[in-house]
Amino acid sequence: MDRRTKRIIRISAVSAGSVLLLLLVGTAVVLNFVFTPSKLTPVVERIADRSLNARLRMGGVELTFFSTFPRFGVKLTDGTLVSTALRDTLWQRTDTLLTFRKAVLVFNPVSYLRHRKIDILKLSVDSADVYAFRDGTGRANWDILPSADTLASGTAADTTADTVRTVSEISVRHVALRHGSVTFDDRETKVFANIRDAGLRLRARLGEGHSMLALDFRNRNILFWQDGELLVNRVATRLRASVELDRAQRTLTLHDALLGINGTELDLTGTVRRDTAAAGALLLDLRYGLHAPSLETVLHMIPESVLKRGEVAADGEVRISGAVKGPYGRQALPLATLDAEIKDASARYAGMPYGVDALDARLVGQVDPMRREPSFCNLEIFRFKGAHTDILADAEVKNLLDDPLVSFHTKSAVDLTALAQTFPLQEGVALSGKLEAELRMSCRLSALRNRDLGRIRARGRVVMDSLALRDTARKFEFTSSASLSFAGDDRLDAEAEIRHASLRSPRLSSSMERLAATVRTTNPQDTTRIARMECTMTLNRLKAAAGDSLSLFCGRGTATVRLQPGKRDPAKPKVGLALEADTLFCRVGDSRMGMDRAGIGVTAEKLRDSVWIPEGIVGFSRLVVSTPQCALPIRMEKTSVTVGNRAVTLRNATMRIGRSDLTASGVVHDLYGAMRRRRPLRAELSLSSRNLNCNQLIRAVSFPADTLRIEADTAATDLKLFVVPKNIDFALHTDFRRVRYGKFVFEDVRGAVDVRDGAVHLKGLAMKGLDAVMHTTLLYQAVRPERGYVGFDFRLRRINVGKLVEFTPSLDSIVPMLRSFRGTVDFDVSAEADLDSALNIRIPTLRSAIRLRGDSLVLMDGETFAEISKKFFFKNKERNLIDSIAVNISVKDGYVTVYPFAVAMDRYRAAVGGTQDLDMNFDYHISILKSPIPFKLGLNITGNLDDMKFRLGRAKYKNLVTPVEIHKVDSTVSGLGRQIVRDFKRRIGRIPEERRPPARDTTHSSGRNPRPLSGL
């Protein structure tokens, strides 16, 4: 090659490369700076809004070249297409037709410019959701294309109309849909369908007269509902088909279509065309049949989780065919038929000792949703021979869509042990035993739904000998040896003997050693009433469990079950059970109950679906109940319990809880709801007891897991604050002969107790204790173990002062003068305060009104008394007798106020009063009203217990102990007490999360000395 030629080639290559580079640079500039997504997106949205009856909104629109080289394309992201054919503001958003994450369209613009042909080279859509909705009036959200009249009425300048009229052909070379979801919601025909995780590959050529379409579709699951009933679920499908569209005839024809359903492949052919007689309706004429029909194909339809895929030699004729024909549209659904037949078939799996010697079957079915034709399903014959097994059966289901009448007949001898060696079962799946059956039976589905079991017609027998079905992968096992015989042409009469039965599964487990039963039915002629049926049985060692939360055990027992018409509605059943068992055990969650010599006589009448009303009597010789909320079991002796009207009635039910005994009479409401659904447990009970150990009961509730500590220790030194469960609502009336609380013993405790909303309310309890008569009103609440609340009103008569201080240790800090007295007093106190974790009163939160009355009291020797006796020259400086005393005390805001009271002692009559704070700082005053001294004087006592100061002064209280003033003080303190009682009673029925200390009362002085009564 000469130099001139090389130069020309080099110049040409450089020029071509420069031009190509300029084109690429220009394309990059145009794509990135001219036709940017921010400019293209609103243009495309406006064009779509004008061209469609819908609103299109996208995250971005951009032109592509390099990613779709050498073609130009359009990339759409985060798109939403909302139909304007429907106006929907509800949360379902039924007007949203399409959403997608990403879509890429590659087309050939040259084909359109030259031949008026739209050539789509590639269309891929990722993560698209289609929601096709049609309301009850027939309006659909997919009607988004303009009508032909609208297009014809447009102007000549309407480029959209021109384009539609001038397009000669549309070619689609490749369409791909990945991870799509399609929902079809037709309210007009009451059809709902959902297709999940769909994938689609499509090629199409759309011409003016004919169009061709090739598609390959598959999905993970199909959900199909009709008239509120679930018809199809967990169905994976695949459709591979060639479709021809004839625009002139408005007909869609399927060619060589293959439909796969859960691995079973069917050939599908037929047509779908528009119904000219009904607007918006389609006429379907589809036919289907089994693809490559053979017995091997049928055997492969058995789920692989049960049967291994293996080499099988099969022979015989297999035919499965059917049709879907008729209109589909508003209030119209097509007719579906099925005809399946296996004739003169045999098979043997490689390596298996037995085979199928003969198999014949014929199944015919028809379903007409419009009920113009009968709907039925008939198994005309099923015959199986091989592996020491001979099965002959037929069945028929009439009136399939209304009230199906099911008829079944069989004469079979089955050797499951040999069958397990005929088919290659999966690992863990095992069959064994023998089954013989010669049975003819029939019943309507409504009889089973309505529990009208007496209308089952059955004659024949079934014998199971060491029958066993196991699937270790699903944790399922069933074993049984039993015989059943039926005799009744128009009713259910049966006898059953189960020598052994066992069922194990994740949801339900049961076992039984022996059961003998007899069933008799009477009066089945009246179809408007439940037929009367009675079943008597004897059983031995019945065990049943539902999951981990419910279990039942029954030892030896006899039972009678009766089924009869209900009193409220004879068309609804009433079930009666009479059971006698030597041992009965039940567990619900962590709660357990056991009975000895149990007798149960209950009935349950059905009101509506899943709602039954039980009533009857449950009796037992001994019962033990344990719950996780209490460390002590509840033991009951011979008792009968009445059940009815969602309540349990007790009559003198005697129980023992630890060292306490109780006898209860009354009603407990909704016990099942409290145990299973955590509803409030309500009860109205009268309780009596010979001995009640509150120390042990409180610890059993406070420490439910520490059973050894509860049983071994009954001392009250470690009592803790206990939280009353919120789901208890008890109204109790008590009559306790002996009650132990702390170190004290009370007798003849009578009154009302309410336990509600996490609080205990003692309402006017009367009792004897501390050698005194007591009347008590109390409210106790605790929302957590660290802090509680108590409000009480005590009335104690003729109580020893020493025992009073021992019973209320905090009283010694509030009224320290009591430690110097000996004798009996009447003591009234109304108070409210917070409690700490050890059940001690938190003194800063205490608000109280105290009244103390006594006579013939002895003032004992002490430092304070010695100092006072020295100041006033008492004759007896060791002890002095006080004729009477009446003291009013109030506690508020951390201050104790002792109102002036008169006291006669030695040769003196004095008035005593004062205040003190919680740090035991005193400011008391004694006014001498009568003495050998010819004038009145006073003694001021200040300081604390370690440093007390005594000073003589003037008498401050000489006019404050007259009958009128004393009456005013009594009225004031009594009013404060009544107000305290009203305040804590208001708390009944509510539990605050946090109780704050009481606010200061500005009507009382917070100083050292009490104000005059006019200021109270």
Side-chain angles (χ1 to χ4, degrees):
M1 184 180 296
D2 56 9
R3 294 181 57 188
R4 184 171 179 274
T5 302
K6 291 182 179 179
R7 183 179 179 185
I8 293 174
I9 292 174
R10 185 168 56 252
I11 293 174
S12 300
V14 172
S15 301
S18 301
V19 172
L20 180 60
L21 179 61
L22 289 175
L23 289 176
L24 293 176
V25 172
T27 301
V29 171
V30 170
L31 294 180
N32 291 279
F33 297 100
V34 179
F35 296 110
T36 61
S38 60
K39 295 178 180 179
L40 288 177
T41 302
V43 173
V44 174
E45 289 178 348
R46 284 196 300 269
I47 294 175
D49 292 346
R50 289 198 303 265
S51 304
L52 303 174
N53 295 327
R55 296 190 305 273
L56 179 64
R57 296 295 178 265
M58 290 172 290
V61 178
E62 61 177 303
L63 292 177
T64 63
F65 176 73
F66 298 101
S67 60
T68 57
F69 184 82
R71 304 287 186 179
F72 282 95
V74 179
K75 180 181 178 182
L76 314 176
T77 57
D78 299 328
T80 302
L81 183 64
V82 179
S83 172
T84 57
L86 294 177
R87 299 290 183 179
D88 189 6
T89 59
L90 299 179
W91 65 271
Q92 295 98 331
R93 304 299 300 168
T94 55
D95 52 3
T96 302
L97 178 61
L98 172 67
T99 61
F100 60 88
R101 187 173 65 87
K102 184 178 71 173
V104 177
L105 174 65
V106 181
F107 59 95
N108 186 0
V110 178
S111 296
Y112 177 73
L113 296 176
R114 289 184 176 179
H115 309 292
R116 295 298 182 185
K117 174 184 176 182
I118 296 179
D119 189 5
I120 299 176
L121 303 177
K122 178 183 178 182
L123 173 62
S124 64
V125 182
D126 191 12
S127 301
D129 293 330
V130 178
Y131 186 77
F133 175 82
R134 180 162 60 182
D135 62 15
T137 62
R139 294 185 305 163
N141 66 347
W142 62 79
D143 292 335
I144 61 175
L145 295 177
S147 63
D149 296 337
T150 303
L151 293 175
S153 61
T155 61
D158 190 343
T159 59
T160 303
D162 291 341
T163 302
V164 172
R165 287 192 293 268
T166 56
V167 171
S168 62
E169 184 180 347
I170 299 177
S171 175
V172 180
R173 299 189 184 182
H174 180 73
V175 173
L177 171 66
R178 293 185 295 271
H179 305 298
S181 175
V182 179
T183 301
F184 179 70
D185 189 356
D186 192 345
R187 305 294 173 85
E188 189 177 30
T189 58
K190 298 181 181 179
V191 170
F192 179 87
N194 177 259
I195 301 175
R196 298 180 184 175
D197 198 10
L200 173 68
R201 293 184 179 275
L202 182 144
R203 304 172 68 90
R205 181 179 59 81
L206 307 180
E208 293 183 357
H210 285 76
S211 300
M212 296 299 297
L213 177 70
L215 62 89
D216 187 356
F217 169 84
R218 65 186 65 200
N219 74 288
R220 188 178 62 181
N221 185 35
I222 291 180
L223 190 71
F224 187 87
W225 290 75
Q226 168 102 39
D227 285 335
E229 294 187 7
L230 181 62
L231 302 180
V232 177
N233 190 18
R234 298 179 181 177
V235 175
T237 63
R238 180 186 179 185
L239 176 61
R240 188 180 65 213
S242 297
V243 182
E244 179 185 358
L245 175 61
D246 188 343
R247 293 181 180 272
Q249 301 295 328
R250 296 184 177 182
T251 302
L252 192 70
T253 305
L254 296 178
H255 297 287
D256 301 328
L258 181 66
L259 176 63
I261 303 176
N262 287 345
T264 302
E265 295 183 339
L266 300 174
D267 293 325
L268 182 64
T269 61
T271 61
V272 178
R273 59 186 178 88
R274 184 180 294 275
D275 189 358
T276 57
L282 299 175
L283 289 178
L284 305 181
D285 188 2
L286 302 175
R287 295 168 300 280
Y288 63 89
L290 184 65
H291 182 71
S294 66
L295 184 59
E296 183 179 1
T297 304
V298 175
L299 292 175
H300 286 167
M301 295 170 63
I302 301 176
E304 194 171 356
S305 59
V306 177
L307 207 62
K308 297 178 181 178
R309 294 289 184 262
E311 183 181 351
V312 58
D315 192 13
E317 180 182 349
V318 177
R319 178 177 57 85
I320 298 179
S321 62
V324 178
K325 189 173 184 179
Y328 173 81
R330 184 175 184 180
Q331 298 180 352
L333 290 173
L335 173 75
T337 62
L338 170 67
D339 188 354
E341 183 179 14
I342 301 175
K343 186 175 181 181
D344 299 331
S346 61
R348 180 183 289 271
Y349 280 92
M352 305 304 295
Y354 296 100
V356 180
D357 299 332
L359 178 61
D360 295 277
R362 176 75 185 277
L363 178 66
V364 179
Q366 177 175 287
V367 177
D368 184 4
M370 307 310 299
R371 293 173 172 80
R372 290 185 293 264
E373 299 288 339
S375 297
F376 60 87
C377 181
N378 295 338
L379 178 63
E380 296 182 355
I381 185 174
F382 180 84
R383 185 65 182 265
F384 178 96
K385 285 186 176 182
H388 308 303
T389 298
D390 188 354
I391 301 175
L392 176 62
D394 61 84
E396 182 180 17
V397 182
K398 298 180 180 179
N399 201 16
L400 191 61
L401 297 182
D402 295 319
D403 187 9
L405 174 60
V406 182
S407 301
F408 175 76
H409 169 256
T410 184
K411 184 177 182 181
S412 305
V414 181
D415 187 343
L416 294 177
T417 304
L419 282 179
Q421 303 176 59
T422 304
F423 300 96
L425 302 177
Q426 288 286 0
E427 297 295 334
V429 178
L431 307 175
S432 62
K434 293 183 178 181
L435 171 68
E436 293 184 4
E438 185 174 357
L439 180 65
R440 184 181 299 275
M441 64 177 298
S442 66
C443 72
R444 291 193 176 273
L445 183 60
S446 60
L448 300 179
R449 288 178 175 175
N450 299 331
R451 276 73 172 178
D452 195 1
L453 304 181
R455 300 192 185 279
I456 299 176
R457 301 178 179 181
R459 176 175 289 275
R461 65 185 182 88
V462 177
V463 178
M464 292 177 285
D465 185 10
S466 303
L467 183 69
L469 308 175
R470 295 182 179 86
D471 187 347
T472 57
R474 292 177 173 83
K475 299 179 180 180
F476 174 85
E477 179 182 4
F478 173 74
T479 60
S480 176
S481 293
S483 62
L484 297 89
S485 61
F486 301 90
D489 294 331
D490 58 351
R491 60 184 178 270
L492 179 62
D493 287 345
E495 293 184 357
E497 181 183 1
I498 301 177
R499 295 179 294 277
H500 169 75
S502 176
L503 173 65
R504 297 286 184 271
S505 69
R507 292 188 177 182
L508 179 65
S509 299
S510 66
S511 65
M512 182 186 306
E513 288 191 358
R514 185 181 181 278
L515 181 143
T518 302
V519 180
R520 294 290 182 265
T521 303
T522 58
N523 190 28
Q525 288 81 16
D526 189 353
T527 58
T528 63
R529 301 169 62 88
I530 295 292
R532 294 180 179 271
M533 186 187 74
E534 181 177 289
C535 175
T536 59
M537 65 184 77
T538 60
L539 55 90
N540 187 23
R541 298 188 63 83
L542 170 65
K543 298 179 182 179
D548 297 330
S549 61
L550 180 63
S551 62
L552 175 70
F553 171 79
C554 180
R556 295 182 179 180
T558 61
T560 300
V561 180
R562 292 181 176 89
L563 182 65
Q564 60 190 16
K567 294 181 179 180
R568 296 176 176 86
D569 186 356
K572 290 185 172 58
K574 181 179 180 181
V575 180
L577 170 64
L579 172 66
E580 294 182 3
D582 61 351
T583 304
L584 191 63
F585 174 82
C586 178
R587 179 179 62 85
V588 180
D590 294 328
S591 301
R592 292 172 171 82
M593 179 186 70
M595 293 184 188
D596 285 346
R597 297 182 182 178
I600 300 175
V602 296
T603 62
E605 183 172 354
K606 183 179 180 181
L607 290 185
R608 55 185 183 273
D609 290 343
S610 302
V611 178
W612 295 73
I613 300 299
E615 60 182 14
I617 298 176
V618 178
F620 47 84
S621 176
R622 184 175 58 179
L623 177 141
V624 179
V625 177
S626 63
T627 65
Q629 291 80 20
C630 182
L632 295 173
I634 302 173
R635 306 177 186 274
M636 299 181 66
E637 298 301 327
K638 187 175 182 180
T639 304
S640 63
V641 178
T642 302
V643 180
N645 196 23
R646 295 187 176 90
V648 178
T649 303
L650 306 176
R651 292 182 178 89
N652 297 323
T654 302
M655 64 190 75
R656 189 167 188 86
I657 309 174
R659 290 174 173 81
S660 303
D661 65 86
L662 279 172
T663 300
S665 297
V667 182
V668 179
H669 301 277
D670 201 9
L671 180 61
Y672 178 81
M675 297 175 67
R676 292 291 294 162
R677 302 179 182 178
R678 298 185 178 180
R679 293 177 179 172
L681 179 61
R682 298 184 296 111
E684 296 91 28
L685 299 173
S686 295
L687 303 177
S688 61
S689 173
R690 294 189 301 271
N691 180 63
L692 197 65
N693 192 321
C694 293
N695 302 329
Q696 193 181 44
L697 295 179
I698 291 174
R699 275 195 305 276
V701 176
S702 302
F703 310 101
D706 196 352
T707 55
L708 295 177
R709 180 182 183 185
I710 301 304
E711 291 288 350
D713 184 17
T714 59
T717 56
D718 59 347
L719 290 181
K720 300 294 183 181
L721 194 73
F722 63 94
V723 177
V724 180
K726 292 184 179 181
N727 63 336
I728 292 181
D729 186 355
F730 285 179
L732 310 176
H733 185 274
T734 61
D735 185 4
F736 301 147
R737 184 177 301 177
R738 185 177 183 273
V739 177
R740 180 179 180 85
Y741 177 77
K743 298 182 294 183
F744 308 101
V745 176
F746 302 95
E747 298 178 347
D748 298 333
V749 180
R750 297 183 178 90
V753 179
D754 283 351
V755 183
R756 181 181 298 116
D757 296 330
V760 178
H761 182 205
L762 310 183
K763 302 163 64 174
L765 246 65
M767 66 190 77
K768 296 178 182 178
L770 308 176
D771 298 329
V773 178
M774 305 173 62
H775 295 272
T776 303
T777 297
L778 180 142
L779 175 69
Y780 170 86
Q781 290 177 334
V783 295
R784 58 180 186 270
E786 295 81 19
R787 189 171 187 178
Y789 167 86
V790 65
F792 55 87
D793 182 27
F794 287 167
R795 300 285 187 265
L796 285 76
R797 297 294 175 261
R798 309 301 298 168
I799 184 170
N800 185 276
V801 174
K803 292 185 177 181
L804 175 63
V805 175
E806 184 182 7
F807 177 64
T808 313
S810 302
L811 193 63
D812 186 41
S813 302
I814 298 172
V815 190
M817 68 176 66
L818 287 177
R819 72 179 67 177
S820 299
F821 288 101
R822 294 293 182 269
T824 60
V825 297
D826 292 343
F827 182 76
D828 299 341
V829 56
S830 300
E832 66 171 354
D834 285 346
L835 301 174
D836 61 17
S837 59
L839 281 175
N840 296 319
I841 291 177
R842 300 165 67 95
I843 298 298
T845 66
L846 177 64
R847 183 166 67 115
S848 178
I850 303 172
R851 300 180 67 187
L852 186 68
R853 300 286 186 272
D855 53 28
S856 301
L857 297 178
V858 176
L859 184 62
M860 303 301 296
D861 184 23
E863 295 180 5
T864 306
F865 173 73
E867 190 66 27
I868 294 174
S869 63
K870 185 174 68 173
K871 293 289 184 181
F872 291 110
F873 305 101
F874 282 3
K875 290 182 179 181
N876 189 343
K877 294 183 172 57
E878 294 183 0
R879 51 183 291 170
N880 273 277
L881 183 66
I882 299 175
D883 294 336
S884 63
I885 188 173
V887 184
N888 290 289
I889 304 171
S890 67
V891 182
K892 180 76 172 178
D893 300 333
Y895 285 91
V896 179
T897 300
V898 180
Y899 294 95
F901 64 94
V903 58
M905 183 173 53
D906 200 78
R907 295 171 294 170
Y908 298 88
R909 182 174 180 272
V912 183
T915 62
Q916 72 179 61
D917 59 20
L918 299 179
D919 295 330
M920 303 301 291
N921 294 312
F922 303 107
D923 188 356
Y924 284 97
H925 175 76
I926 301 176
S927 293
I928 304 300
L929 305 180
K930 180 181 177 181
S931 69
I933 304 174
F935 56 87
K936 297 180 179 180
L937 56 84
L939 177 64
N940 297 313
I941 305 174
T942 59
N944 52 49
L945 294 176
D946 298 328
D947 183 16
M948 300 187 67
K949 299 177 181 178
F950 300 85
R951 296 191 303 272
L952 295 175
R954 65 182 182 86
K956 299 179 182 179
Y957 297 155
K958 57 185 177 180
N959 297 322
L960 297 182
V961 291
T962 64
V964 175
E965 296 298 330
I966 291 175
H967 179 72
K968 291 181 179 179
V969 171
D970 289 343
S971 300
T972 300
V973 176
S974 297
L976 176 60
R978 288 192 295 270
Q979 181 62 43
I980 292 173
V981 173
R982 285 195 297 269
D983 288 346
F984 74 68
K985 284 185 176 181
R986 288 194 191 103
R987 299 173 66 98
I988 298 176
R990 61 184 178 87
I991 304 178
E993 292 297 329
E994 189 74 28
R995 182 183 181 273
R996 299 177 181 177
R1000 288 182 175 270
D1001 189 350
T1002 57
T1003 61
H1004 289 74
S1005 171
S1006 61
R1008 299 283 183 176
N1009 292 313
R1011 288 187 175 186
L1013 291 179
S1014 59
L1016 290 176

